[in-house]
Amino acid sequence: MTPADASGTSVAIDTANELNLELVRFLYADHGGVTRGKAAALRFLPERIASGIGHTTAMMAITMLETLAPVDGMSPVGEVRIKPDPETLVALPYAPGAGAMLADLVRPDGQPWEACSRTFLKQAIAELASEGFTMEAAFEPEFTLGRREPDPSGGPDRLVPTDDSLCYSATGFHQAHDFVMELVGALNAQGLKVEHYYPELGHGQQEISIRHAPALQAADHHVLYRETVRGVAFRRGLWASLAPKPIPDQAGNGTHLHASLTELNADGSPGAPAFTDPSDRYGLSKTGYHFIGGLLKHIGGLVALSCGSVNSYRRLQPQFWSSAYTVYGMDNREAAVRICSPLRGDPASTVNLEFKPSDSSANPYLALGAFIYAGLDGIRQRIDPGEAVNVDPATMTEEERQTAGARRLPLSLAEALDELALDDLLISKLGPMRSTAYLAVKRAEAAAFAEHDTAWECFQHFLRF
Ligand code: GLU
Ligand code: MG
């Protein structure tokens, strides 16, 4: 343990004692996209931070339907440890007496396990640093606030939204107010800086955005966010879902990914913003264009990780502002990659890219790690992304779309997985164990949902996400 690690650990232990956190949850995200974990009792926290809590390797081969995909090295025989990062300790405002830390999955000897997704993101960040960049990122989640109710006709339970207010309407603010105030307080108390709130387009749909943070912290924040939204709702007898399309005929819940790069100084401190060039017509630097080139080159496989569930592909429809085509554009909400116009007063550091085919059924560590590797490939190969598309691609003719290189994003999880399997870069960065397990888990989910109808699919997704 380095001196910095040791001091982080002792701060976490002192804080847990001061706050009398009887149980501290060690949380991780699995390949099904579900947050899971085990909790340590306060008395044993120092030991468990050092050793981690024992866990079966099988849990990274489990699907969101709780079936076990056949993956070598992930079975009831074999052990890893859920090893928390003490820097991430928070008290959980929606679970009095409990705290949480985000965790890696490590081998019993403490070495990183090849299937750990948080480690994957750390590796991507390190590779980005080796090229002289660091990333600030923010997940921008939408969710549906409702009640879980039986279907009068005997089908699976439905998510019945709490309101039918209009997009950004004052009525929407009124109707969700008490819940939202509690949620905002709970997010801020955990160190997530709430930036905006609005009632959005779909019935019961809410969006609360969180200030950007260094990439690993942004992914950690997103795990805490998802649990906070649901935790606060459950305690009020409500049901909140971040599933991509919990209600088939309403707007989907995206979790757009915003990111910008900063140059690293020789001493490792952050230097100048790397995505800005005031002389460019969209204010974007060459590095920014190359990053987009990499995203578009790898988009099929990338989407398999950023839109990680069967339900994700019900959301990615033209003219739902979710993106459906492989294009980028300036402030284009139908493009897969949007160059966000800078804010007046701080143009240099507010240029950022928004990746729209991204939702909260993804494992955020895998999604953000793959996003970094794809963009980095664009920087290294100096990939030209072509011309920006500044119209809704659905309104173009087929011929215009072909000229612009606008292809449909994968239409199903199965299609996206096939693209991922053919993406040599992403597969090699994931490594054999992670990629095999991810493809096996997700293919098992695709096959299982193919046997069922839309109502069951939506039910299973709003239950878990
Ligand atoms: N709900 C849209 C989606 O599925 C996003 C709407 C917006 O631009 O905020 O991504
Ligand atoms: Mg939105």
Side-chain angles (χ1 to χ4, degrees), residues 3 60 91 103 106 155 186 226 262 267 333 439:
M60 281 310 261
V106 302
R226 296 190 323 194
T262 302
D267 65 357
R333 285 180 168 73
L439 288 169

Side-chain angles (χ1 to χ4, degrees), residues 142 200 205 207 252 254 256 315 320-322 333 356:
E142 296 166 335
E200 272 242 7
Q205 194 180 48
E207 176 169 333
H256 308 158
R315 166 179 165 256
F320 275 86
W321 299 19
S322 58
R333 285 180 168 73
K356 290 183 84 86

